[in-house]
Amino acid sequence: TGFELSYILFDTSVDIDWTNKEQVGTHYLPKLREIITKSLSSGSNGDITHVEFYHPMVRGEDVDLTQKTSPIARRVHIDTDFGAHDIEGIVNLVEKNSIRINNQSSFPREDIIAAIRDGKRFSVVNAWKGIQINDTKVSRAHLGLLPAQYEYDKNLIPTKFRCFPTLQPDPSFSRWYVYPNMSSDEVLLFKQYDRRANLISDIWHCSLPPTQYEIEQEDALPRRSFDVRALVVFD
């Protein structure tokens, strides 16, 4: 499907400051790397050689620029059109916005470029989780996922071009998915790109408008969330 809900257990004695890259890199990313590796290396996917995290972002309905938060994304989108970049452009994008695990200083730039040039498969995954006050569940502005389906003539469109931006999503065949009331120990993984063109990967997404029921709930706190992307390179 291109997405899955996973569980991630935290040390309850640690209160992570999600705007602090060092804390995120120490207390969250090692566990997230394990989950991504387990999820993507199963079956016939092969071994994973690199998982590099980048573009960490705290988002909220109650945006506070002094706390390094950003607005929730209300427009339907995919994170990056990777088809518009060459190999070095992709790696530059990741390295420039990199967040390191346990303060690792070196970014394996040349190894990743060599692997991709050698034809190795790589994928980009977005990892999204709620970071509500007092570890309450996400109760409004849930993340919606749209695994786009495209209408095309298979005799005219080669496999590797049967996706955005060559084609536009067909709303009559595409379906929205949502995981409401996500808890603090859940993380939603969804792909943004995969070099294997026969796999669903361009998962469009956005914050869904609060329903009238959610608006009327006095205890429904404004949504706060954390997302980070991962470049995954396979052997």
Side-chain angles (χ1 to χ4, degrees):
T1 60
F3 61 91
E4 71 174 64
L5 185 68
S6 297
Y7 295 89
I8 184 166
L9 297 178
F10 291 100
D11 181 351
T12 55
S13 66
V14 178
D15 185 15
I16 299 175
D17 176 0
W18 294 96
T19 65
N20 185 307
K21 288 185 177 181
E22 182 176 346
Q23 291 189 26
V24 171
T26 299
H27 300 293
Y28 177 56
L29 295 188
K31 299 177 184 295
L32 183 59
R33 179 174 58 183
E34 291 178 7
I35 289 174
I36 290 176
T37 300
K38 181 179 180 180
S39 172
L40 296 187
S41 62
S42 60
S44 60
N45 287 328
D47 294 331
I48 290 174
T49 57
H50 298 282
V51 178
E52 297 296 330
F53 293 101
Y54 70 104
H55 203 282
M57 187 68 66
V58 175
R59 304 182 190 275
E61 290 183 276
D62 52 344
V63 176
D64 182 354
L65 296 180
T66 64
Q67 296 298 318
K68 303 178 183 178
T69 59
S70 298
I72 58 177
R74 301 182 188 276
R75 289 177 174 267
V76 184
H77 67 286
I78 50 178
D79 292 333
T80 305
D81 176 13
F82 286 92
H85 298 272
D86 59 16
I87 293 173
E88 291 203 4
I90 293 172
V91 178
N92 286 342
L93 177 67
V94 176
E95 183 177 21
K96 181 180 179 181
N97 299 282
S98 175
I99 176 172
R100 313 305 295 151
I101 291 180
N102 293 324
N103 286 326
Q104 293 174 339
S105 58
S106 61
F107 179 84
R109 175 186 175 82
E110 298 306 321
D111 290 345
I112 292 175
I113 289 177
I116 295 177
R117 282 181 174 165
D118 194 39
K120 301 298 185 182
R121 175 189 169 201
F122 68 96
S123 179
V124 174
V125 177
N126 191 321
W128 187 99
K129 75 179 307 298
I131 51 171
Q132 299 295 104
I133 297 176
N134 298 325
D135 289 334
T136 56
K137 293 183 178 182
V138 177
S139 55
R140 51 181 285 160
H142 304 291
L143 185 70
L145 303 180
L146 181 69
Q149 302 296 313
Y150 302 95
E151 186 175 15
Y152 57 85
D153 186 333
K154 65 181 180 180
N155 295 317
L156 298 177
I157 306 296
T159 301
K160 66 178 181 178
F161 296 122
R162 296 173 189 173
C163 57
F164 179 84
T166 304
L167 302 172
Q168 296 298 315
D170 186 338
S172 62
F173 291 99
S174 303
R175 296 291 182 269
W176 281 95
Y177 296 83
V178 62
Y179 291 90
N181 302 314
M182 281 180 59
S183 64
S184 60
D185 59 355
E186 293 177 319
V187 58
L188 186 55
L189 307 178
F190 56 99
K191 286 185 181 178
Q192 291 299 277
Y193 178 83
D194 198 312
R195 200 174 204 177
R196 281 180 57 181
N198 63 323
L199 297 178
I200 296 176
S201 60
D202 48 343
I203 307 294
W204 296 68
H205 54 285
C206 71
S207 170
L208 299 179
T211 64
Q212 188 61 36
Y213 173 79
E214 292 169 350
I215 294 173
E216 293 172 353
Q217 300 305 301
E218 296 181 358
D219 59 346
L221 299 175
R223 189 255 272 180
R224 289 177 64 82
S225 60
F226 178 83
D227 59 87
V228 65
R229 303 167 195 172
L231 173 67
V232 182
V233 182
F234 297 81
D235 189 8

